[in-house]
Amino acid sequence: MTDKETAILTIAKQAEAAGGRAYLVGGCVRDKLMGKLPKDHDIEVHGIAPDALLEILKGIGEPLSFGESFGIYSLKGLDLDIAMPRREHAIGRGHRDFEVEVDPFIGTEKAAMRRDFTINALMEDILTGEIIDHFGGRQDLQEGIIRHVNDVSFKEDPLRVFRGAQFAARFGFKVSPDTVEICKGMATSELSSERVEGELQKAMLGSDTPSVFFEVLREMDQLEPWFREMKALIGIEQDPVFHPEGDVWNHTMEVLDRGAKLRDEADEPYAFLLLCLTHDLGKITTTTFEKGRIHAYGHESEGLPIAETFMNRLVGSKAVKEYVLGMIPSHMKPNMVAYSHSKVKNTNKMFDEVSSPKDLILFSVADRPVMAGDFKFQGDRDFLEGRLKIYQNTMSEPYVMGRDLIESGLDPGEDFKEILDYAHKLRLAGIPKAEALKQVLSYAKKLRTNKR
Ligand code: CTP
C-alpha cells in the first residue's frame, strides 16, 4: 500500500470511529470507473466537526490549512485534498466570488448537489467501496453524457461552461441538450483568463479531438468573448478545390484534430496546437472573390495582429505567444517548398526563420491541403525532413562571426549588422567558412566604397 492509500484508509477508519464517514469524491471516482488512473484524490468527510477532522489529520501527517476557513485541508507530500461538505453561494460574478458554508451534517445528496456534472458528483465510500450516485452519474458515464446536476447551483460558476466543453473533448462525450441550454445563458466575461486558459489547455493537451471543445462552445453560443476570433471564422468561404471541407472554421477544426495526433512529436505541444488554431485567422480580413475564385492573399501576415489580440486576451506565457506569432507567417511555406522542390538555400532560410523547424513540418502535415481534381500534391514530410537534416548540418558547420571580421581588419562600424546579415545569408547558402569570409570582406569593401 502506498503512503497515500494508507492515509486515505486511516482517515476513513478514524472518521468512522468518531461517528462520521469518509468518501472519495469528484474526478477520482469518475476516473476509476472509466478505468483511468486518477491524477489526484479528493476526500469528503461527513458527520464529524472540523476540529475533529483536523485532529485526525494531525495524527497522520502535516495538514496544510490553506483553505481552513472553507473546511479544506491537504496533507503535506501527498496529492490529497480533504474537505468537509459545504454549500457554496455565488456572491459575485467571478470564479472565486463564493460564500462558503461548511456543514458536516448536510448529508451526501445535498453535498453532491453543488458539483458541476453528474459524472463528477459520484462518491465512493472508502471503507465499503460502495458508489453513491444520487444523480445518475454512472449511467451518464456509460452513455457518454455530460449533464449538469442542478439548475440553480450550476449557474453559479460560469467556468463550468468551459469545463463542460473540455470534458466533452477529453472523454469524447456529448453534452446533454438541457446542459447546452443552461450554458447559453451564462456570463463568462468576468472569468479570469488563467481559469479559461486552464480549461483550454486541458482540451488541447488531453483530447484526441480538441475541435470538440470549440464545437461545443459554438453550440452553447459561448465562443464570445474569449474565442471571438474563432467565431469570426464561421462562414468565411474557401476555394472548394483546395478546401472541400468548407469554411475556414471547418478547416481549422480539421487541422486542430490532425495536429492533436502529432502533438506528442512536437517540441511545444500546446503552442503547436495554438498554431493549428490560429494559423488562418488572416483569412477573416483577406478573403476575396476574384474572377469566380476565392482567394486570401497575404493571410499569413495579415493574421498576425488578430492572433496577437486573441493570445493577449487568453495566453499567459510569453514564450508560447512568441512561438505562435513567429510561426504563423511561415505556415504556408513547407508545403509550397515541398511542392516545388525548392533549392536548399530556400528551405534553410525557411527553417531559420522559425523557433521550431520540426514543429513547422508537423504543422504542414496537419495543414496539408486536401486535394481535389487533377491537383495531386499531398504534402511531403520525407522531403521536408531530409531538408531539415541538411539545415541542421549546415548550421553545425563553422561560420563567419563578428570577431572573424574584426580579426581580418574590418572596423565594426554602423553598417556592421548589414555585413553580418550578409555573412548569415552565405552561411544559409552552405558556403564554407574560408570562402564565405573572403566574400563577406569583399562585400564590406564594396559597401563602404559605395558609401564614400
Ligand atoms: N467542481 C465543480 N465545479 C467546478 C470545479 C470543480 O463542481 N467549477 C467539482 C467537481 O465535482 C470535480 C471536483 O470538484 O470533479 C474536482 O475538480 P477538478 O480537480 O477541477 O477536476 P476533476 O473533476 O478532478 O477533473 P480533472 O482534474 O481530471 O480535470
Side-chain angles (χ1 to χ4, degrees), residues 42-301:
D42 293 327
I43 296 180
E44 203 166 78
V45 181
H46 287 237
I48 61 172
D51 289 353
L53 174 60
L54 192 56
E55 282 314 305
I56 291 176
L57 298 181
K58 278 183 184 159
I60 296 172
E62 213 180 306
L64 300 175
S65 50
F66 64 93
E68 201 169 345
S69 55
F70 301 102
I72 304 169
Y73 309 95
S74 73
L75 279 177
K76 200 177 170 187
L78 301 174
D79 224 348
L80 192 61
D81 281 351
I82 305 106
M84 305 240 75
R86 56 197 192 270
R87 293 189 181 91
E88 288 171 357
H89 307 281
I91 48 174
R93 294 174 69 196
H95 175 69
R96 291 174 188 280
D97 302 333
F98 282 107
E99 198 169 64
V100 176
E101 190 190 324
V102 173
D103 182 352
F105 304 100
I106 186 180
T108 54
E109 181 166 356
K110 279 203 178 117
M113 201 177 298
R114 76 177 171 84
R115 300 196 174 269
D116 50 6
F117 302 108
T118 59
I119 60 168
N120 291 344
L122 294 162
M123 305 171 77
E124 180 184 327
D125 186 312
I126 295 170
L127 294 179
T128 64
E130 183 198 352
I131 298 292
I132 294 146
D133 179 12
H134 292 294
F135 304 104
R138 252 189 308 197
Q139 191 174 342
D140 285 343
L141 259 189
Q142 266 161 15
E143 292 176 6
I145 296 174
I146 307 290
R147 189 195 310 278
H148 68 286
V149 170
N150 177 275
D151 282 4
V152 178
S153 60
F154 183 80
K155 278 196 269 194
E156 294 191 334
D157 182 1
L159 189 72
R160 289 168 169 175
V161 166
F162 299 104
R163 282 176 63 85
Q166 172 261 109
F167 283 122
R170 273 165 66 201
F171 301 153
F173 283 13
K174 291 263 169 288
V175 182
S176 128
D178 44 332
T179 302
V180 170
E181 270 322 297
I182 206 165
C183 285
K184 280 185 183 167
M186 287 164 70
T188 59
S189 59
E190 309 272 319
L191 289 167
S192 75
S193 59
E194 290 82 2
R195 303 295 303 186
V196 179
E197 190 186 14
E199 300 308 314
L200 171 68
Q201 278 175 327
K202 283 186 178 181
M204 291 293 226
L205 299 176
S207 168
D208 293 340
T209 50
S211 67
V212 171
F213 179 78
F214 297 97
E215 295 288 4
V216 167
L217 291 179
R218 179 177 176 178
E219 210 188 332
M220 292 172 171
D221 204 9
Q222 283 289 6
L223 287 166
E224 283 182 295
W226 294 96
F227 300 98
R228 60 165 72 105
E229 289 77 8
M230 281 78 242
K231 186 173 180 185
L233 298 175
I234 298 171
I236 305 275
E237 289 184 49
Q238 307 183 106
D239 189 327
V241 174
F242 293 97
H243 294 288
E245 74 276 16
D247 65 8
V248 187
W249 167 276
N250 288 353
H251 168 68
T252 301
M253 293 301 125
E254 288 193 5
V255 174
L256 197 54
D257 288 351
R258 284 198 291 262
K261 296 191 175 49
L262 302 163
R263 176 178 57 205
D264 294 344
E265 294 177 58
D267 285 332
E268 302 292 338
Y270 176 52
F272 170 67
L273 287 178
L274 282 178
L275 171 67
C276 293
L277 181 68
T278 57
H279 72 282
D280 268 352
L281 290 180
K283 288 186 177 171
I284 299 169
T285 51
T286 58
T287 299
T288 54
F289 295 82
E290 278 171 40
K291 294 182 192 148
R293 309 266 331 228
I294 303 166
H295 299 281
Y297 295 125
H299 75 274
E300 61 278 26
S301 48

